[in-house]
Amino acid sequence: MKTLLVTGGAGFIGSNFVRYWIHNHPEDRVVNLDALTYAGNLENLDGVDESPNYRFVHGDICDGEGVKRLFGKEGIDTVVHFAAESHVDRSITGPEAFIRTNVFGTFNLLEAARESWKGDSRKCRFLHVSTDEVYGTLGPDDPAFTEQTPFAPNSPYSASKAASDHLVRSYFHTYGLPVLTTNCSNNYGPYQFPEKLIPLVFINALEGKPLPIYGDGMQIRDWLHVEDHCRGIDAVLRGGRLSETYNIGGVNEWANIDIVKTICQRLDQLRPGDQPKAELITYVKDRPGHDRRYAIDAGKMNRELGWKPSFTFETGIEQTINWYLENQAWWERVRDGDYRSYYEKHYGR
Ligand code: NAD
Ligand code: DAU
């Protein structure tokens, strides 16, 4: 039986992970530490929050003393660290929060684990959830990112994640902390905050609003269903070699414009309107420092841990579109407040 500290468990991937873990490992305890920033939403946990082996703690990973107390009080032996500022566009207009949470917050967690596990850490694990964006950008014919690809982050977001990856690595080599790192490609699926491409386009298309495409729309991302990411993290926790990094990805490269057209076509079938949804596509100014292409080589996950994605993009996007159609009340509530002012500021131009 493990006691997991899941940080950022009220966000998109974290809440999917908490749900996944409670369902698949009912013998374990899950403590969810989340500051409930604009991206954190306890409604993402409806249904799991009543489980007797689940506990929510409202707190900030930048509060070093609070994090240390929590480790002692709960007897944490496993950390799955999702908490982060995660949106590239927000990192361009306001990088400070990214340095604070992604770098300093990760440092606090590492320190708390180091102090709490110093007697015997053999059964402990610190899994740091990171991103493929640390590797920078690929040309059209470059091979996909492997775990050996040098870091070359291009946004304040990816630079802050790269910094945290390096810190995590150093705690193994310096202090022997039992760490693991995963670098994953773009996730999609239920509960994704509608500032990210897929839910943003889905909701705007449904409401007849412009679908903003940065630059020429030919940037490529490697999309993975969030449940496959959760299964991948589980596999790394169980069988990953300490201090190693594992690339998790969908082997599923799509140009942004093609993703948007796919969503439009499906919505034309499910919710036909006066005009084809693709007519709402609007090319807007490009994101500064916009990475052209990401692609993950997930061969190590497959060879060492037997992991591969279970969703095809067709089954995954269908499930996701249906989920957003069936959960309109969820995304309407999410769009209030901070999101509305962010959207007006960012796209208003
Ligand atoms: P998200 O923005 O949806 O959720 C982040 C969560 O962290 C929120 O619940 C928020 O309240 C919480 N949080 C933020 N600052 C905090 C703080 N100081 N203390 C405690 N909690 C705090 O993010 P996501 O998309 O679910 O991403 C989760 C993790 O996965 C991040 O580390 C991100 O870098 C990584 N990742 C994301 C993707 C993706 O496609 N979304 C892909 C690869 C890796
Ligand atoms: O690759 C993993 C990363 O994927 C994660 O580390 C990040 O946390 C996550 O946010 C995501 O980053 P991206 O920048 O790739 O995701 P986003 O959904 O913001 O954008 C996907 C692509 O779509 C990107 O090329 C930018 C483009 N885009 C995005 C938005 C929001 C548009 O063209 N228009 C938009 O309005």
mmCIF file of all heavy atoms in Angstrom, residues 8 10-14 33-37 39-40 59-62 81-86 100-101 129-131 157 161 184-187 192 196 229, ligand 1:
data_model
loop_
_atom_site.group_PDB
_atom_site.id
_atom_site.type_symbol
_atom_site.label_atom_id
_atom_site.label_comp_id
_atom_site.label_asym_id
_atom_site.label_seq_id
_atom_site.Cartn_x
_atom_site.Cartn_y
_atom_site.Cartn_z
ATOM 1 N N GLY A 8 -1.063 19.231 -7.938
ATOM 2 C CA GLY A 8 -1.791 19.696 -9.128
ATOM 3 C C GLY A 8 -2.891 18.734 -9.554
ATOM 4 O O GLY A 8 -3.270 18.689 -10.723
ATOM 5 N N ALA A 10 -5.982 18.899 -9.165
ATOM 6 C CA ALA A 10 -7.263 19.488 -9.575
ATOM 7 C C ALA A 10 -7.175 20.072 -10.985
ATOM 8 O O ALA A 10 -8.126 20.682 -11.475
ATOM 9 C CB ALA A 10 -7.687 20.576 -8.586
ATOM 10 N N GLY A 11 -6.031 19.894 -11.641
ATOM 11 C CA GLY A 11 -5.879 20.372 -13.021
ATOM 12 C C GLY A 11 -6.302 19.297 -14.009
ATOM 13 O O GLY A 11 -6.897 18.271 -13.636
ATOM 14 N N PHE A 12 -5.977 19.532 -15.257
ATOM 15 C CA PHE A 12 -6.419 18.629 -16.329
ATOM 16 C C PHE A 12 -5.840 17.205 -16.151
ATOM 17 O O PHE A 12 -6.569 16.240 -15.894
ATOM 18 C CB PHE A 12 -6.013 19.252 -17.672
ATOM 19 C CG PHE A 12 -6.006 18.320 -18.847
ATOM 20 C CD1 PHE A 12 -7.072 17.460 -19.095
ATOM 21 C CD2 PHE A 12 -4.932 18.314 -19.733
ATOM 22 C CE1 PHE A 12 -7.060 16.602 -20.203
ATOM 23 C CE2 PHE A 12 -4.910 17.475 -20.835
ATOM 24 C CZ PHE A 12 -5.964 16.615 -21.064
ATOM 25 N N ILE A 13 -4.522 17.080 -16.253
ATOM 26 C CA ILE A 13 -3.951 15.728 -16.223
ATOM 27 C C ILE A 13 -3.991 15.170 -14.795
ATOM 28 O O ILE A 13 -4.302 13.992 -14.578
ATOM 29 C CB ILE A 13 -2.503 15.714 -16.763
ATOM 30 C CG1 ILE A 13 -2.439 16.385 -18.144
ATOM 31 C CG2 ILE A 13 -1.985 14.282 -16.871
ATOM 32 C CD1 ILE A 13 -1.030 16.530 -18.707
ATOM 33 N N GLY A 14 -3.719 16.047 -13.815
ATOM 34 C CA GLY A 14 -3.716 15.591 -12.424
ATOM 35 C C GLY A 14 -5.047 14.986 -12.013
ATOM 36 O O GLY A 14 -5.089 13.947 -11.340
ATOM 37 N N LEU A 33 -2.574 17.700 -3.410
ATOM 38 C CA LEU A 33 -2.190 19.065 -2.975
ATOM 39 C C LEU A 33 -2.301 20.004 -4.162
ATOM 40 O O LEU A 33 -1.587 19.834 -5.162
ATOM 41 C CB LEU A 33 -0.746 19.048 -2.447
ATOM 42 C CG LEU A 33 -0.136 20.421 -2.114
ATOM 43 C CD1 LEU A 33 -0.871 21.091 -0.954
ATOM 44 C CD2 LEU A 33 1.359 20.279 -1.782
ATOM 45 N N ASP A 34 -3.195 20.978 -4.054
ATOM 46 C CA ASP A 34 -3.407 21.880 -5.192
ATOM 47 C C ASP A 34 -3.730 23.279 -4.674
ATOM 48 O O ASP A 34 -4.500 23.440 -3.724
ATOM 49 C CB ASP A 34 -4.559 21.355 -6.064
ATOM 50 C CG ASP A 34 -4.550 21.973 -7.452
ATOM 51 O OD1 ASP A 34 -4.734 23.208 -7.567
ATOM 52 O OD2 ASP A 34 -4.370 21.227 -8.431
ATOM 53 N N ALA A 35 -3.151 24.283 -5.312
ATOM 54 C CA ALA A 35 -3.372 25.670 -4.897
ATOM 55 C C ALA A 35 -4.673 26.240 -5.471
ATOM 56 O O ALA A 35 -5.048 27.361 -5.147
ATOM 57 C CB ALA A 35 -2.188 26.522 -5.342
ATOM 58 N N LEU A 36 -5.326 25.491 -6.363
ATOM 59 C CA LEU A 36 -6.543 25.964 -7.037
ATOM 60 C C LEU A 36 -6.310 27.319 -7.696
ATOM 61 O O LEU A 36 -6.981 28.308 -7.390
ATOM 62 C CB LEU A 36 -7.740 25.995 -6.072
ATOM 63 C CG LEU A 36 -8.141 24.639 -5.486
ATOM 64 C CD1 LEU A 36 -9.332 24.773 -4.566
ATOM 65 C CD2 LEU A 36 -8.445 23.608 -6.592
ATOM 66 N N THR A 37 -5.333 27.364 -8.579
ATOM 67 C CA THR A 37 -5.143 28.539 -9.422
ATOM 68 C C THR A 37 -6.306 28.566 -10.419
ATOM 69 O O THR A 37 -7.197 27.709 -10.366
ATOM 70 C CB THR A 37 -3.824 28.442 -10.208
ATOM 71 O OG1 THR A 37 -3.944 27.378 -11.164
ATOM 72 C CG2 THR A 37 -2.631 28.193 -9.279
ATOM 73 N N ALA A 39 -6.449 27.351 -13.120
ATOM 74 C CA ALA A 39 -6.519 26.074 -13.845
ATOM 75 C C ALA A 39 -6.978 24.920 -12.971
ATOM 76 O O ALA A 39 -7.253 23.825 -13.475
ATOM 77 C CB ALA A 39 -5.148 25.743 -14.443
ATOM 78 N N GLY A 40 -7.060 25.135 -11.664
ATOM 79 C CA GLY A 40 -7.458 24.065 -10.758
ATOM 80 C C GLY A 40 -8.951 24.132 -10.491
ATOM 81 O O GLY A 40 -9.497 25.206 -10.262
ATOM 82 N N GLY A 59 -3.333 23.883 -0.917
ATOM 83 C CA GLY A 59 -2.042 24.454 -0.512
ATOM 84 C C GLY A 59 -1.151 24.682 -1.711
ATOM 85 O O GLY A 59 -1.391 24.159 -2.807
ATOM 86 N N ASP A 60 -0.099 25.460 -1.448
ATOM 87 C CA ASP A 60 0.797 25.915 -2.512
ATOM 88 C C ASP A 60 2.137 25.188 -2.378
ATOM 89 O O ASP A 60 2.713 25.159 -1.278
ATOM 90 C CB ASP A 60 0.986 27.437 -2.310
ATOM 91 C CG ASP A 60 1.731 28.097 -3.447
ATOM 92 O OD1 ASP A 60 2.515 27.424 -4.131
ATOM 93 O OD2 ASP A 60 1.530 29.319 -3.626
ATOM 94 N N ILE A 61 2.638 24.631 -3.462
ATOM 95 C CA ILE A 61 3.934 23.927 -3.375
ATOM 96 C C ILE A 61 5.084 24.909 -3.115
ATOM 97 O O ILE A 61 6.186 24.487 -2.806
ATOM 98 C CB ILE A 61 4.226 23.065 -4.625
ATOM 99 C CG1 ILE A 61 4.262 23.911 -5.907
ATOM 100 C CG2 ILE A 61 3.228 21.929 -4.741
ATOM 101 C CD1 ILE A 61 4.818 23.162 -7.116
ATOM 102 N N CYS A 62 4.811 26.202 -3.233
ATOM 103 C CA CYS A 62 5.858 27.184 -2.922
ATOM 104 C C CYS A 62 5.964 27.449 -1.416
ATOM 105 O O CYS A 62 6.877 28.135 -0.966
ATOM 106 C CB CYS A 62 5.595 28.488 -3.672
ATOM 107 S SG CYS A 62 5.660 28.223 -5.448
ATOM 108 N N HIS A 81 4.287 14.486 -9.346
ATOM 109 C CA HIS A 81 4.314 15.957 -9.329
ATOM 110 C C HIS A 81 3.843 16.549 -10.668
ATOM 111 O O HIS A 81 4.583 16.613 -11.640
ATOM 112 C CB HIS A 81 5.748 16.394 -9.019
ATOM 113 C CG HIS A 81 5.981 17.856 -9.089
ATOM 114 N ND1 HIS A 81 5.020 18.798 -8.760
ATOM 115 C CD2 HIS A 81 7.090 18.572 -9.445
ATOM 116 C CE1 HIS A 81 5.522 20.007 -8.924
ATOM 117 N NE2 HIS A 81 6.764 19.902 -9.353
ATOM 118 N N PHE A 82 2.564 16.974 -10.661
ATOM 119 C CA PHE A 82 1.981 17.629 -11.845
ATOM 120 C C PHE A 82 1.939 19.144 -11.690
ATOM 121 O O PHE A 82 1.877 19.858 -12.698
ATOM 122 C CB PHE A 82 0.523 17.186 -12.048
ATOM 123 C CG PHE A 82 0.316 15.746 -12.394
ATOM 124 C CD1 PHE A 82 -0.012 14.823 -11.418
ATOM 125 C CD2 PHE A 82 0.417 15.317 -13.705
ATOM 126 C CE1 PHE A 82 -0.228 13.490 -11.736
ATOM 127 C CE2 PHE A 82 0.202 13.991 -14.038
ATOM 128 C CZ PHE A 82 -0.125 13.073 -13.050
ATOM 129 N N ALA A 83 1.858 19.642 -10.450
ATOM 130 C CA ALA A 83 1.536 21.066 -10.251
ATOM 131 C C ALA A 83 2.491 21.952 -11.032
ATOM 132 O O ALA A 83 3.710 21.838 -10.909
ATOM 133 C CB ALA A 83 1.608 21.415 -8.764
ATOM 134 N N ALA A 84 1.933 22.821 -11.832
ATOM 135 C CA ALA A 84 2.758 23.715 -12.656
ATOM 136 C C ALA A 84 1.860 24.795 -13.247
ATOM 137 O O ALA A 84 0.645 24.637 -13.337
ATOM 138 C CB ALA A 84 3.421 22.935 -13.788
ATOM 139 N N GLU A 85 2.486 25.868 -13.653
ATOM 140 C CA GLU A 85 1.871 26.759 -14.634
ATOM 141 C C GLU A 85 2.164 26.085 -15.967
ATOM 142 O O GLU A 85 3.318 25.753 -16.258
ATOM 143 C CB GLU A 85 2.501 28.147 -14.567
ATOM 144 C CG GLU A 85 2.130 28.927 -13.318
ATOM 145 C CD GLU A 85 0.659 29.308 -13.260
ATOM 146 O OE1 GLU A 85 0.021 29.418 -14.327
ATOM 147 O OE2 GLU A 85 0.134 29.487 -12.150
ATOM 148 N N SER A 86 1.123 25.884 -16.784
ATOM 149 C CA SER A 86 1.289 24.974 -17.927
ATOM 150 C C SER A 86 1.030 25.595 -19.302
ATOM 151 O O SER A 86 1.220 24.917 -20.313
ATOM 152 C CB SER A 86 0.361 23.762 -17.752
ATOM 153 O OG SER A 86 -0.989 24.165 -17.926
ATOM 154 N N ARG A 100 8.302 30.728 -10.401
ATOM 155 C CA ARG A 100 7.951 30.494 -8.999
ATOM 156 C C ARG A 100 7.448 29.052 -8.813
ATOM 157 O O ARG A 100 8.034 28.273 -8.062
ATOM 158 C CB ARG A 100 6.876 31.518 -8.591
ATOM 159 C CG ARG A 100 6.427 31.436 -7.174
ATOM 160 C CD ARG A 100 5.372 32.515 -6.868
ATOM 161 N NE ARG A 100 4.863 32.341 -5.527
ATOM 162 C CZ ARG A 100 3.877 31.511 -5.228
ATOM 163 N NH1 ARG A 100 3.264 30.817 -6.152
ATOM 164 N NH2 ARG A 100 3.481 31.377 -3.969
ATOM 165 N N THR A 101 6.388 28.704 -9.507
ATOM 166 C CA THR A 101 5.796 27.379 -9.258
ATOM 167 C C THR A 101 6.651 26.250 -9.852
ATOM 168 O O THR A 101 6.934 25.255 -9.185
ATOM 169 C CB THR A 101 4.368 27.317 -9.853
ATOM 170 O OG1 THR A 101 3.522 28.124 -9.034
ATOM 171 C CG2 THR A 101 3.825 25.907 -9.906
ATOM 172 N N VAL A 129 6.574 15.021 -13.464
ATOM 173 C CA VAL A 129 5.883 14.991 -14.758
ATOM 174 C C VAL A 129 6.338 16.189 -15.588
ATOM 175 O O VAL A 129 6.069 17.337 -15.236
ATOM 176 C CB VAL A 129 4.354 15.036 -14.555
ATOM 177 C CG1 VAL A 129 3.640 15.011 -15.896
ATOM 178 C CG2 VAL A 129 3.893 13.874 -13.681
ATOM 179 N N SER A 130 7.023 15.914 -16.687
ATOM 180 C CA SER A 130 7.493 17.018 -17.509
ATOM 181 C C SER A 130 7.012 16.870 -18.958
ATOM 182 O O SER A 130 6.126 16.068 -19.247
ATOM 183 C CB SER A 130 9.019 17.133 -17.406
ATOM 184 O OG SER A 130 9.426 18.351 -17.995
ATOM 185 N N THR A 131 7.612 17.643 -19.809
ATOM 186 C CA THR A 131 7.059 17.862 -21.139
ATOM 187 C C THR A 131 8.096 17.634 -22.231
ATOM 188 O O THR A 131 9.301 17.784 -21.989
ATOM 189 C CB THR A 131 6.531 19.315 -21.228
ATOM 190 O OG1 THR A 131 6.206 19.620 -22.576
ATOM 191 C CG2 THR A 131 7.564 20.338 -20.766
ATOM 192 N N TYR A 157 7.878 28.985 -20.385
ATOM 193 C CA TYR A 157 7.289 27.757 -19.833
ATOM 194 C C TYR A 157 8.254 26.588 -19.957
ATOM 195 O O TYR A 157 8.585 25.921 -18.957
ATOM 196 C CB TYR A 157 5.962 27.422 -20.538
ATOM 197 C CG TYR A 157 5.530 25.985 -20.324
ATOM 198 C CD1 TYR A 157 5.118 25.546 -19.067
ATOM 199 C CD2 TYR A 157 5.554 25.054 -21.368
ATOM 200 C CE1 TYR A 157 4.750 24.214 -18.855
ATOM 201 C CE2 TYR A 157 5.188 23.733 -21.164
ATOM 202 C CZ TYR A 157 4.785 23.320 -19.908
ATOM 203 O OH TYR A 157 4.430 22.006 -19.690
ATOM 204 N N LYS A 161 10.303 24.386 -17.078
ATOM 205 C CA LYS A 161 10.185 22.927 -16.923
ATOM 206 C C LYS A 161 11.563 22.276 -17.057
ATOM 207 O O LYS A 161 11.898 21.353 -16.321
ATOM 208 C CB LYS A 161 9.215 22.346 -17.961
ATOM 209 C CG LYS A 161 7.762 22.724 -17.780
ATOM 210 C CD LYS A 161 7.140 22.227 -16.484
ATOM 211 C CE LYS A 161 6.914 20.739 -16.455
ATOM 212 N NZ LYS A 161 6.136 20.317 -15.253
ATOM 213 N N CYS A 184 6.384 14.162 -21.640
ATOM 214 C CA CYS A 184 5.242 13.731 -22.456
ATOM 215 C C CYS A 184 4.873 14.776 -23.513
ATOM 216 O O CYS A 184 5.136 15.964 -23.358
ATOM 217 C CB CYS A 184 4.039 13.477 -21.540
ATOM 218 S SG CYS A 184 2.665 12.695 -22.387
ATOM 219 N N SER A 185 4.245 14.288 -24.565
ATOM 220 C CA SER A 185 3.778 15.162 -25.646
ATOM 221 C C SER A 185 2.410 15.765 -25.288
ATOM 222 O O SER A 185 1.907 15.577 -24.183
ATOM 223 C CB SER A 185 3.696 14.363 -26.944
ATOM 224 O OG SER A 185 2.750 13.322 -26.793
ATOM 225 N N ASN A 186 1.794 16.447 -26.246
ATOM 226 C CA ASN A 186 0.522 17.147 -26.004
ATOM 227 C C ASN A 186 -0.588 16.175 -25.620
ATOM 228 O O ASN A 186 -0.878 15.246 -26.370
ATOM 229 C CB ASN A 186 0.070 17.885 -27.270
ATOM 230 C CG ASN A 186 0.854 19.145 -27.495
ATOM 231 O OD1 ASN A 186 2.058 19.102 -27.713
ATOM 232 N ND2 ASN A 186 0.178 20.278 -27.450
ATOM 233 N N ASN A 187 -1.215 16.444 -24.498
ATOM 234 C CA ASN A 187 -2.352 15.633 -24.064
ATOM 235 C C ASN A 187 -3.669 16.255 -24.527
ATOM 236 O O ASN A 187 -3.768 17.478 -24.660
ATOM 237 C CB ASN A 187 -2.414 15.585 -22.534
ATOM 238 C CG ASN A 187 -1.389 14.661 -21.899
ATOM 239 O OD1 ASN A 187 -1.661 14.039 -20.897
ATOM 240 N ND2 ASN A 187 -0.208 14.574 -22.476
ATOM 241 N N GLN A 192 -9.902 19.210 -19.936
ATOM 242 C CA GLN A 192 -8.803 20.114 -20.316
ATOM 243 C C GLN A 192 -9.319 21.544 -20.326
ATOM 244 O O GLN A 192 -10.369 21.853 -20.905
ATOM 245 C CB GLN A 192 -8.216 19.746 -21.680
ATOM 246 C CG GLN A 192 -6.978 20.590 -22.002
ATOM 247 C CD GLN A 192 -6.147 20.033 -23.140
ATOM 248 O OE1 GLN A 192 -6.678 19.416 -24.059
ATOM 249 N NE2 GLN A 192 -4.848 20.274 -23.099
ATOM 250 N N LYS A 196 -6.458 25.783 -24.043
ATOM 251 C CA LYS A 196 -5.614 24.932 -24.879
ATOM 252 C C LYS A 196 -6.341 24.628 -26.187
ATOM 253 O O LYS A 196 -7.571 24.651 -26.246
ATOM 254 C CB LYS A 196 -5.260 23.632 -24.134
ATOM 255 C CG LYS A 196 -4.646 23.856 -22.761
ATOM 256 C CD LYS A 196 -3.191 24.265 -22.819
ATOM 257 C CE LYS A 196 -2.643 24.787 -21.496
ATOM 258 N NZ LYS A 196 -2.549 23.817 -20.413
ATOM 259 N N HIS A 229 -1.528 8.762 -21.024
ATOM 260 C CA HIS A 229 -0.455 9.384 -20.233
ATOM 261 C C HIS A 229 -0.494 8.831 -18.804
ATOM 262 O O HIS A 229 0.545 8.452 -18.244
ATOM 263 C CB HIS A 229 -0.637 10.906 -20.256
ATOM 264 C CG HIS A 229 0.491 11.666 -19.629
ATOM 265 N ND1 HIS A 229 0.459 13.028 -19.462
ATOM 266 C CD2 HIS A 229 1.679 11.275 -19.091
ATOM 267 C CE1 HIS A 229 1.579 13.430 -18.879
ATOM 268 N NE2 HIS A 229 2.331 12.391 -18.647
HETATM 269 P P1 NAD B 1 -3.096 22.443 -15.658
HETATM 270 O O1 NAD B 1 -2.682 23.848 -15.871
HETATM 271 O O2 NAD B 1 -4.394 21.965 -16.198
HETATM 272 O O3 NAD B 1 -3.119 22.123 -14.089
HETATM 273 C C1 NAD B 1 -2.125 22.566 -13.210
HETATM 274 C C2 NAD B 1 -2.617 22.329 -11.784
HETATM 275 O O4 NAD B 1 -1.574 22.728 -10.893
HETATM 276 C C3 NAD B 1 -3.849 23.154 -11.415
HETATM 277 O O5 NAD B 1 -4.774 22.358 -10.706
HETATM 278 C C4 NAD B 1 -3.304 24.254 -10.523
HETATM 279 O O6 NAD B 1 -4.234 24.729 -9.571
HETATM 280 C C5 NAD B 1 -2.127 23.541 -9.866
HETATM 281 N N1 NAD B 1 -1.091 24.478 -9.398
HETATM 282 C C6 NAD B 1 -0.517 25.500 -10.105
HETATM 283 N N2 NAD B 1 0.364 26.151 -9.334
HETATM 284 C C7 NAD B 1 0.386 25.525 -8.126
HETATM 285 C C8 NAD B 1 1.101 25.716 -6.923
HETATM 286 N N3 NAD B 1 1.987 26.720 -6.802
HETATM 287 N N4 NAD B 1 0.886 24.871 -5.890
HETATM 288 C C9 NAD B 1 -0.008 23.860 -6.000
HETATM 289 N N5 NAD B 1 -0.754 23.641 -7.124
HETATM 290 C C10 NAD B 1 -0.548 24.463 -8.166
HETATM 291 O O7 NAD B 1 -1.891 21.574 -16.197
HETATM 292 P P2 NAD B 1 -1.898 20.174 -16.992
HETATM 293 O O8 NAD B 1 -2.086 20.433 -18.420
HETATM 294 O O9 NAD B 1 -2.784 19.235 -16.275
HETATM 295 O O10 NAD B 1 -0.359 19.763 -16.799
HETATM 296 C C11 NAD B 1 0.037 19.061 -15.618
HETATM 297 C C12 NAD B 1 1.529 18.784 -15.682
HETATM 298 O O11 NAD B 1 1.835 18.012 -16.833
HETATM 299 C C13 NAD B 1 2.394 20.040 -15.792
HETATM 300 O O12 NAD B 1 3.542 19.848 -15.006
HETATM 301 C C14 NAD B 1 2.760 20.123 -17.270
HETATM 302 O O13 NAD B 1 4.002 20.747 -17.435
HETATM 303 C C15 NAD B 1 2.823 18.645 -17.607
HETATM 304 N N6 NAD B 1 2.519 18.321 -19.018
HETATM 305 C C16 NAD B 1 1.371 18.768 -19.598
HETATM 306 C C17 NAD B 1 1.064 18.383 -20.909
HETATM 307 C C18 NAD B 1 -0.206 18.828 -21.588
HETATM 308 O O14 NAD B 1 -0.370 18.586 -22.778
HETATM 309 N N7 NAD B 1 -1.139 19.467 -20.903
HETATM 310 C C19 NAD B 1 1.953 17.564 -21.614
HETATM 311 C C20 NAD B 1 3.132 17.145 -20.996
HETATM 312 C C21 NAD B 1 3.391 17.507 -19.673
#
